[in-house]
Amino acid sequence: MTIPFLSRLDPEATELWRGLLELALGEPVTLGPPDDRGAVEIAVVANPPPGQLATLPNLKFIQSAWAGIDGLMADPALPRHVALARLIDPTLAAQMAEAVAAHVLALHRQAPAYAAQQARGLWRKLPQPPTTGRPVGLLGYGEMGRACGKALTALGFPVSRWTRSSGDLGELLARSEIVVNLLPLTPETRGILGQATFARMRPGAAIINVGRGGHLAEADLIPALESGQLGHAVLDVFETEPLPADHPFWRHPGITITPHAAAITDPASGALRAAENIARFRAGQPVTGLVSFATGY
Ligand code: NAP
């Protein structure tokens, strides 16, 4: 049986993944589809060329090398009768928790305001509440959200959460001083960080978007910052990546930018997790990260 790695990563990254998968699986892994496409039942993908999966007639299981599968779901040719799993890797959730805790602490300790004061040579202490006085709201409480919730709770922040199955969005927005987006990008969640949501938040509250760029209605952000409706925005993900050099977000003092760096899949760990999941699939056991085509995540 042949397992291909299907990807549009650069050649070096693609070869690294292929080699690590081969090592973890203990069997050959091809770059791209093999000549005998009918022999492929399992494929590992990282941003594959659109339509490529549809050329494998006997495919039964797709393992994504990434946690987010919104790119795959956007391919109209994605075979929806084939089981699809996104990557579940605890090292990824740990990285996300670290990044979110760092951004929340920076906002809590008023890093943007002190940076502005430093630029003016201004020595002035700002009032500093304790973490227990800074409610944080998490949109989404899945693999990433749970790890972030744990880290923030350990630091003393009161944490509330909203998911598809629990929590009240209005209540969360009304009480939180910092709102962190950890939702998957689906038709229901696209544009959720927009004017209608900002209007329900506390005046001057901050947002942190580490979900996907499509969650933010980009045109609504600068007006909300300039009117004081929002105090600050930390953005790790964007509608167009890399963020174009002339994008106004780069130079806005109310915006902190990181280059989609909150949680990056480690190929060595990712290949091991992918191989474990493939072994589960072959053994007829439940796989981790099985995607529901009904909910889109
Ligand atoms: P996940 O395990 O699937 O969790 C998703 C959470 O969102 C669940 O709690 C789910 O609710 C909730 N949800 C889904 N649709 C909803 C809706 N319509 N309304 C309310 N809640 C909804 O996903 P994850 O692995 O934690 O990933 C979360 C996000 O992080 C994704 O956007 C992913 O792409 C992104 N991510 C970003 C980076 C980065 O470097 N920036 C790295 C990795 C992942 P239920 O609990 O009720 O199902």
Side-chain angles (χ1 to χ4, degrees), residues 3-238:
I3 296 188
F5 180 58
L6 311 177
S7 167
R8 282 179 290 167
L9 294 173
D10 64 61
E12 203 180 321
T14 309
E15 181 48 35
L16 175 68
W17 267 100
R18 195 200 60 76
L20 289 166
L21 283 166
E22 208 163 74
L23 215 62
L25 286 159
E27 61 190 280
V29 173
T30 63
L31 275 188
D35 293 339
D36 182 5
R37 292 183 182 225
V40 176
E41 292 190 351
I42 295 171
V44 182
V45 301
N47 193 18
Q52 197 169 56
L53 285 162
T55 68
L56 304 170
N58 295 318
L59 195 60
K60 293 186 172 56
F61 182 56
I62 305 166
Q63 173 65 53
S64 170
W66 293 344
I69 41 81
D70 44 290
L72 275 175
M73 296 293 249
D75 178 1
L78 177 71
R80 283 172 159 70
H81 60 281
V82 177
L84 165 64
R86 62 199 191 81
L87 185 72
I88 304 294
D89 184 345
T91 65
L92 204 60
Q95 279 190 64
M96 182 60 91
E98 195 179 286
V100 166
H103 290 309
V104 167
L105 276 175
L107 292 169
H108 170 65
R109 297 297 307 194
Q110 310 179 78
Y114 281 125
Q117 287 191 183
Q118 182 176 346
R120 292 163 54 211
L122 182 61
W123 179 276
R124 188 176 68 194
K125 288 183 180 62
L126 299 170
Q128 182 60 56
T131 56
T132 50
R134 184 89 71 189
V136 179
L138 303 182
L139 307 182
Y141 204 71
E143 293 298 319
M144 302 295 145
R146 283 194 296 275
C148 296
K150 233 184 190 173
L152 294 171
T153 303
L155 288 165
F157 293 101
V159 175
S160 48
R161 51 176 125 140
W162 178 65
T163 72
R164 209 161 52 88
S165 43
S166 72
D168 179 324
L169 179 61
E171 245 172 53
L172 178 150
L173 296 174
R175 80 187 286 259
S176 303
E177 291 191 14
I178 301 171
V179 172
V180 186
N181 175 45
L182 291 149
L183 292 165
L185 185 61
T186 67
E188 286 78 45
T189 64
R190 178 169 281 283
I192 188 157
L193 298 176
Q195 182 47 44
T197 297
F198 302 157
R200 298 163 79 191
M201 289 169 60
R202 288 164 78 139
I207 58 164
I208 299 176
N209 187 19
V210 283
R212 283 289 182 261
H215 285 125
L216 175 69
E218 286 197 353
D220 293 355
L221 182 61
I222 289 179
L225 288 165
E226 300 208 328
S227 70
Q229 188 174 38
L230 287 184
H232 200 83
V234 176
L235 306 177
D236 184 58
V237 286
F238 302 88

Side-chain angles (χ1 to χ4, degrees), residues 274-289:
E276 285 166 7
N277 226 20
I278 287 170
R280 280 188 206 101
F281 176 78
R282 281 174 165 162
Q285 294 166 358
V287 296
T288 60

